[in-house]
């Protein structure tokens, strides 16, 4: 603590950077822009509360996702991250339609039973699982003017940033 | 003489006690009067707001409970949550109606009321509704998943897109194989003296179809850190 420089958050907030500063591990002093955008969008106190509620090993991922969301919000003040989600949802819908068309086309092809063709038949296990594996409860963002479509299951997985 | 002095002292004490009681009664009266005045002002505010917003039904004064902050239906969810008077030009009231208090609760928890107000003020009026919806959704996803929030949704969608592409490429390759087989069989039927064809050969073009195409995942306008 004797000669170490304060973290980016304490520099911006103009306060003393203590040893147990919660922001110091995630906002080094060499990248002040990172904390600036997060502070502008979420606020330092809200970030502090969010990080305190999380276990220590998940805080790094949380900070990265917050920085990503804040950056998206700065680039697009209207839609933010939701714009990318809407774009990806449209892509998923398009691909599902194309897949449905391709599968219908396969069914239309007359399957002529030959000994050489039996090795190349579709396995019954290779069912198009994605036709059934839709995101249940995912709000349709094409009409996200309504405020009631907010059903979503919590996602638990390993770190996305590895 | 001594008795006179004694009686005088007792009388003074009695008078002091009476004065104190009178003062207590008067202060209690003043307090109750102030409360009544406040009640009257709040009722006047209710009536004014009901006049300004004729769509909402007017509440009777007997049902109004001043001690409870949730009794005033004229306030938006934001002002009700923040326990403040909802002004006529409240910037949050069109986007956070009183019928959905959880929406503002999530937004307030993640972004904070002042940040949301500032963000909406910086936008033109015609874009504020969409911005408020987007902010509400981001806040909701962050509350549901405190670690990844909406970034987790993006990751899930990208994974699904990749799997869809893979499946589509495989299906298209199979279609190409079947059509190639059919063509070969037709050629054999037309020319029975032709050489036997190996049905297991796959053209290089068909092999390319097996590789999933990721070129359209162009999120270049988002940072590389994701």
């Amino acid at each position: 603590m004797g000669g170490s420089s304060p973290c980016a958050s304490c520099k911006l907030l103009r306060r003393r950077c203590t040893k147990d500063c919660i922001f110091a591990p995630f906002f080094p002093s060499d990248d002040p822009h990172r904390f600036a955008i997060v502070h502008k969008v979420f606020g330092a106190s809200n970030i502090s509360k969010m990080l305190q509620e999380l276990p220590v090993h998940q805080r790094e991922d949380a900070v990265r996702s917050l920085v990503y969301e804040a950056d998206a919000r700065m680039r697009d003040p209207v839609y933010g991250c939701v714009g990318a989600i809407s774009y990806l949802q449209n892509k998923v819908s398009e691909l599902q339609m194309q897949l449905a068309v391709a599968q219908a086309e396969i069914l239309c092809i007359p399957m002529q039973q030959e000994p050489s063709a039996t090795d190349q038949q579709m396995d019954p296990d290779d069912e198009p699982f994605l036709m059934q594996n839709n995101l249940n409860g995912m709000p349709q963002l094409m009409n996200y003017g309504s405020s009631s479509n907010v059903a979503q299951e919590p996602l638990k997985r390993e770190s996305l940033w590895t | 003489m001594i008795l006179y002095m004694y009686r005088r002292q007792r009388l003074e004490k009695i008078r002091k006690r009476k004065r104190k009681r009178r003062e207590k009664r008067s202060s209690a009266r003043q307090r109750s009067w102030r409360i009544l005045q406040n009640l009257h002002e709040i009722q006047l505010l209710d009536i004014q707001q009901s006049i300004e917003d004729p769509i909402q039904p007017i509440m009777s004064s007997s049902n109004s409970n001043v001690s409870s902050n949730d009794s005033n239906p004229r306030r938006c969810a934001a002002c009700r949550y923040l326990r403040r008077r909802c002004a006529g030009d409240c910037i949050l009231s069109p986007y956070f109606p009183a019928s959905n208090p959880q929406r503002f609760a999530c937004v307030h928890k993640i972004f904070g009321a002042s940040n949301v107000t500032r963000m909406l003020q910086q936008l033109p009026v015609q874009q504020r509704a969409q911005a408020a919806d987007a902010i509400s959704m981001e806040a909701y996803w962050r509350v549901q998943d405190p670690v990844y929030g909406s970034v987790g949704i993006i990751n899930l969608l990208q994974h699904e897109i990749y799997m869809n592409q893979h499946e589509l490429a495989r299906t298209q390759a199979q279609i190409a194989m079947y059509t190639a087989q059919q063509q070969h069989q037709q050629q054999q039927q037309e020319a029975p003296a032709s050489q036997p064809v190996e049905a297991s050969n796959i053209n290089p073009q068909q092999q390319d179809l097996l590789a999933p195409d990721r070129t359209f995942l162009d999120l270049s306008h988002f940072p590389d850190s994701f």
Side-chain angles (χ1 to χ4, degrees), chain A residues 86-145:
Chain A
S86 180
Y87 169 79
L88 292 173
Q89 272 194 333
N90 290 337
K91 281 295 174 187
V92 168
S93 303
E94 283 177 18
L95 282 171
Q96 286 176 345
M97 277 173 49
Q98 290 175 9
L99 191 59
V101 166
Q103 286 167 351
E105 199 174 330
I106 277 188
L107 291 174
C108 293
I109 293 172
M111 300 289 292
Q112 298 186 2
Q113 298 292 331
E114 288 184 5
S116 60
T118 52
D119 296 336
Q120 297 166 5
Q121 279 183 356
M122 285 174 62
D123 295 333
D125 294 336
D126 292 339
E127 294 258 335
F129 70 96
L130 293 164
M131 294 296 290
Q132 298 134 16
N133 190 19
N134 288 325
L135 287 173
N136 293 324
M138 171 61 74
Q140 288 301 322
L141 291 171
M142 300 186 68
N143 295 323
Y144 66 86

Side-chain angles (χ1 to χ4, degrees), chain A residues 40 65 79 112 114 120 150, chain B residues 118 130 140 147 181 185:
Chain A
K40 191 169 182 183
S65 65
Y79 299 113
Q112 298 186 2
E114 288 184 5
Q120 297 166 5
V150 285
Chain B
R118 181 174 41 81
Q130 292 171 345
Y140 177 79
V147 182
Q181 282 178 7
Q185 287 165 3

Side-chain angles (χ1 to χ4, degrees), chain B:
Chain B
M1 185 66 182
I2 295 171
L3 281 174
Y4 173 73
M5 294 296 288
Y6 180 69
R7 282 180 193 169
R8 195 172 173 182
Q9 285 175 2
R10 279 188 69 185
L11 283 171
E12 284 180 1
K13 284 182 187 175
I14 292 167
R15 282 175 197 162
K16 278 184 187 175
R17 279 181 211 161
K18 285 185 182 176
R19 270 181 224 157
K20 282 183 186 174
R21 284 177 196 167
R22 275 182 218 157
E23 282 169 8
K24 278 185 188 175
R25 281 178 210 158
S26 65
S27 62
R29 277 181 208 159
Q30 284 174 6
R31 265 181 258 145
S32 61
W33 179 243
R34 277 179 222 149
I35 290 168
L36 283 172
Q37 275 185 337
N38 288 337
L39 275 173
H40 186 62
E41 283 175 5
I42 289 162
Q43 287 173 3
L44 282 174
L45 281 173
D46 287 344
I47 291 167
Q48 281 175 5
Q49 288 179 352
S50 67
I51 289 168
E52 288 168 7
D53 189 6
I55 299 171
Q56 300 282 344
I58 297 173
M59 264 183 69
S60 62
S61 60
S62 60
N63 292 334
S64 65
N65 185 4
V66 180
S67 59
S68 163
N69 286 323
D70 296 337
S71 63
N72 186 355
R74 238 51 71 216
R75 291 190 291 178
C76 64
C79 294
R80 192 178 288 184
Y81 189 92
L82 299 170
R83 297 184 184 183
R84 66 185 187 193
R85 181 186 164 188
C86 192
D89 57 349
C90 177
I91 194 172
L92 300 174
S93 60
Y95 317 113
F96 299 100
S99 57
N100 193 356
Q102 286 183 355
R103 182 172 145 107
F104 183 77
C106 290
V107 168
H108 181 63
K109 185 179 177 182
I110 302 301
F111 293 94
S114 56
N115 288 332
V116 174
T117 304
R118 181 174 41 81
M119 282 192 269
L120 292 178
Q121 278 175 347
Q122 290 172 354
L123 293 172
V125 179
Q126 57 270 21
Q127 291 180 339
R128 286 180 186 174
Q130 292 171 345
D133 285 341
I135 288 169
S136 303
M137 297 185 87
E138 282 189 33
Y140 177 79
W141 285 328
R142 180 59 63 174
V143 167
Q144 294 293 312
D145 186 2
V147 182
Y148 297 108
S150 53
V151 173
I153 307 292
I154 290 174
N155 183 63
L156 204 67
L157 286 170
Q158 284 195 330
H159 179 73
E160 185 161 348
I161 285 171
Y162 172 72
M163 300 304 288
N164 271 321
Q165 282 178 316
H166 188 80
E167 187 69 24
L168 182 64
R170 204 172 65 158
T171 308
Q172 287 174 344
Q174 286 173 344
I175 290 171
M177 271 196 315
Y178 292 145
T179 51
Q181 282 178 7
Q182 281 184 343
Q183 286 174 0
H184 278 300
Q185 287 165 3
Q186 284 175 0
Q187 285 173 1
Q188 282 180 356
Q189 285 173 0
E190 289 172 2
S194 62
Q195 294 178 358
V197 178
E198 293 179 4
S200 62
N201 283 341
I202 299 177
N203 292 331
Q205 291 177 357
Q206 293 169 1
Q207 283 181 347
D208 292 340
L209 290 173
L210 291 172
D213 181 22
R214 302 191 200 189
T215 56
F216 79 93
L217 288 176
D218 183 18
L219 297 177
S220 58
H221 55 290
F222 289 101
D224 296 331
S225 60
F226 177 67

